[in-house]
Amino acid sequence: MKAGIVGLPNVGKSTLFNCLSNAKAQSANFPFCTIEPNVGVVNVPDPRLEKLEELVNPERVVPATVEIVDIAGLVKGASRGEGLGNQFLGNIRECNAIIHVLRCFDNDNIVHVEGSVNPIRDKETIDIELQLKDLDTVEKRLEKSKKAGKTGNKEALAETALLERIREALLQAKSARTVVPANEEEEELMQSFQLITTKPVLYVCNVDEGAAATGNQYVDQVRELVKDENAEVLVLAVATEADITELETYEERQMFLEDLGLKEPGVSALIRSAYKLLNLQTYFTAGVKEVRAWTIHIGDTAPQAAGVIHTDFEKGFIRAEVIAYNDYVQFGSEAKVKEAGKLKVEGKEYIVKDGDVMHFRFNV
């Protein structure tokens, strides 16, 4: 599961990517500095993992991870192949969610591709290009489904009805995600279209150091614009975050954060938000050899969670022994949880909860 960082050239995408992944992607003061997408595997900050490590004292600790992709900047006309348009749109189609970076700071020394700072215009530029690309996809598919529908094919008729609703939204400069599927069949159909603007989005307002804690007028404009989108807005001083990652000690980083009025690096909040955006959650396994965070989709069953460890665990699943994270912390060990009668034995239908500590019994 991958989240792609998108935005106009020169808004801070590659600098943000470097903060997230320490992969040191090239970042510079000119458009199209990133051409090939950079991919980083990022650890998901989770204080629960640290607490389990403290209680169990294992030989090693393995955090959950998420893939972040730094994609080339997009310009007006990308849907027609302008700039690196075709490549950009192909790369973003391969991602599961979008982290949209908007420049929300003034600095005459950093060129803006449009000549002035205006996050509302920048957002609309990106949105329109993605919507135009989706409109092209929808119209081609609509043509085929209409032909098939003339024979009375029920599936084709249902597809046509949904495509027409999506087309209407796109023509009104609305993203496809604003079209709510009427039932499960439509939801599956919507996914099969693989439209770019159905992907969930998180907006990152890149501000200067002085606005890191409180935001600024640009951030207020963005929040007002996206209030009906059901999308999160994060405020991040990307250049300052880059400076923080260069500091050698934890104490130095904490002092820097306190001076800014922050409790933790903004990128930590961003990684957790990206994880949720991808509809992911964590369960844990805890033993003396290893405490580990495992990544699953929200709504996964116990056998599906077991399959993340090994496919044989899912195939031969018998039962799961489950301890709620809060119970584990309250009683301090697995043995004490059992004594208190708080360990639950769950079967194939059990829906795993975020933070569950689990053991699996299986037979192959």
Side-chain angles (χ1 to χ4, degrees), residues 50-308:
E50 295 167 20
K51 185 65 181 176
L52 289 172
E53 179 185 9
E54 181 188 311
L55 293 171
V56 179
N57 194 26
E59 292 175 19
R60 67 174 187 153
V61 176
V62 183
T65 60
V66 63
E67 275 193 14
I68 304 289
V69 186
D70 176 26
I71 297 171
L74 176 147
V75 293
K76 205 176 286 183
S79 56
R80 302 186 304 276
E82 293 291 331
L84 296 168
N86 291 329
Q87 185 171 335
F88 171 96
L89 294 162
N91 291 333
I92 195 172
R93 200 182 292 281
E94 292 170 12
C95 293
N96 307 92
I98 297 169
I99 299 170
H100 187 162
V101 182
L102 295 163
R103 177 170 167 176
C104 294
F105 66 90
D106 294 303
N107 186 333
D108 293 339
N109 295 320
I110 299 177
V111 251
H112 190 292
V113 73
E114 294 285 352
S116 62
V117 177
N118 185 334
I120 304 305
R121 176 203 59 212
D122 296 353
K123 176 189 177 300
E124 287 173 351
T125 297
I126 298 278
D127 285 351
I128 287 167
E129 295 306 324
L130 299 184
Q131 290 160 5
L132 286 171
K133 191 65 179 176
D134 276 353
L135 184 60
D136 183 52
T137 303
V138 165
E139 287 183 335
K140 285 174 183 172
R141 186 145 181 172
L142 191 53
E143 198 177 324
K144 291 177 183 175
S145 69
K146 279 183 175 177
K147 281 181 184 175
K150 285 177 181 175
T151 63
N153 183 311
K154 287 184 179 179
E155 288 177 1
L157 290 169
E159 183 173 307
T160 298
L162 178 57
L163 285 166
E164 284 181 335
R165 278 162 48 211
I166 295 170
R167 181 177 179 274
E168 187 59 33
L170 292 168
L171 287 170
Q172 292 175 22
K174 294 177 182 176
S175 293
R177 72 178 72 88
T178 62
V179 178
V180 181
N183 48 46
E184 279 184 28
E185 289 75 15
E186 279 201 349
E187 198 163 324
E188 286 176 16
L189 261 179
M190 181 86 93
Q191 288 173 7
S192 74
F193 300 155
Q194 293 188 304
L195 300 175
I196 297 171
T197 64
T198 56
K199 298 178 189 295
V201 64
L202 165 70
Y203 295 101
V204 175
C205 293
N206 183 10
V207 299
D208 56 25
E209 187 175 310
T214 57
N216 56 26
Q217 75 274 17
Y218 293 131
V219 175
D220 294 340
Q221 291 167 14
V222 172
R223 285 190 172 128
E224 178 63 26
L225 184 68
V226 307
K227 65 183 180 184
D228 298 325
E229 282 192 34
N230 192 29
E232 189 176 356
V233 177
L234 283 182
V235 178
L236 218 62
V238 175
T240 306
E241 294 279 338
D243 291 339
I244 292 171
T245 61
E246 296 295 328
L247 296 174
E248 291 183 7
T249 67
Y250 173 79
E251 287 73 19
E252 285 178 309
R253 290 193 289 272
Q254 285 304 113
M255 283 176 65
F256 200 145
L257 288 168
E258 283 173 18
D259 287 344
L260 294 173
L262 301 173
K263 291 181 180 177
E264 66 170 355
V267 290
S268 295
L270 173 56
I271 295 165
R272 286 196 297 270
S273 294
Y275 196 67
K276 286 180 184 173
L277 196 66
L278 291 164
N279 199 38
L280 301 175
Q281 65 178 10
T282 300
Y283 78 87
F284 302 102
T285 51
V288 289
K289 285 193 176 294
E290 178 183 89
V291 167
R292 183 168 186 149
W294 298 91
T295 299
I296 58 171
H297 291 97
I298 294 169
D300 275 358
T301 61
Q304 288 172 319
V308 173

